């Protein structure tokens, strides 16, 4: 696989096939995947952007860059405002959020068994 990737580096191939696909829209970047992981792991808690940033290991500005998209997708919901900050949590009624929770558990089981 690495040879194939190296073989095509530097070529102008236009937009990659995966751009804009559903999974790329969902996970997007490593930062977004980390945020989703925090939301899944803390699904019963609502978190403010500072807490999300700390737990995900990303900058607060990165959290703000992704929160709107995740709420627009219906995976995350705003729960309340505390002072100047809003709090968010995984929308446990959402089908995709439920599948993320199941995927997280299945992946953990696989990692622990290997």
């Amino acid at each position: 696989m690495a040879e194939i990737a190296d073989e095509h580096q530097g070529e102008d191939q236009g937009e990659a096939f995966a751009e804009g696909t559903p999974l790329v829209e969902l996970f997007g970047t490593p930062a977004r995947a980390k945020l989703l992981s925090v939301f899944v792991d803390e699904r019963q808690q609502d978190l403010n952007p500072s807490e999300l940033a700390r737990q995900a290991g990303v900058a607060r500005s990165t959290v703000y860059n992704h929160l709107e998209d995740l709420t627009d997708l219906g995976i995350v919901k705003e729960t309340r405002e505390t002072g100047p900050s809003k709090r968010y949590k995984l929308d446990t009624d959402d089908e995709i959020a439920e599948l993320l929770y199941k995927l997280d558990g299945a992946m953990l089981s696989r990692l622990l068994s290997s």
Side-chain angles (χ1 to χ4, degrees):
M1 280 262 174
E3 294 109 13
I4 293 171
D6 290 342
E7 190 176 286
H8 294 292
Q9 279 184 337
E11 290 182 23
D12 183 15
Q13 298 178 9
E15 186 174 324
F17 170 77
E19 290 298 318
T21 61
L23 289 177
V24 170
E25 288 298 313
L26 175 59
F27 294 109
T29 65
R32 184 177 287 192
K34 290 177 183 180
L35 288 169
L36 286 167
S37 180
V38 171
F39 278 118
V40 168
D41 289 345
E42 300 287 340
R43 68 192 165 284
Q44 299 303 321
Q45 304 297 320
D46 59 352
L47 304 164
N48 69 33
S50 294
E51 293 164 333
L52 286 163
R54 182 178 44 77
Q55 289 191 40
V58 300
R60 242 180 19 179
S61 60
T62 301
V63 172
Y64 286 112
N65 289 341
H66 292 283
L67 276 175
E68 184 177 349
D69 289 340
L70 293 174
T71 55
D72 287 350
L73 289 170
I75 298 165
V76 171
K77 64 182 177 181
E78 182 183 325
T79 57
R80 60 190 168 119
E81 288 190 36
T82 53
S85 185
K86 295 178 181 178
R87 299 184 75 81
Y88 301 86
K89 70 184 281 188
L90 191 71
D91 186 348
T92 54
D93 293 328
D94 180 70
E95 176 187 20
I96 293 171
E98 178 64 23
L99 290 169
L100 286 171
Y101 174 68
K102 289 179 181 178
L103 177 62
D104 185 67
M107 191 64 204
L108 179 60
S109 293
R110 184 163 297 178
L111 290 170
L112 291 174
S113 68
S114 59

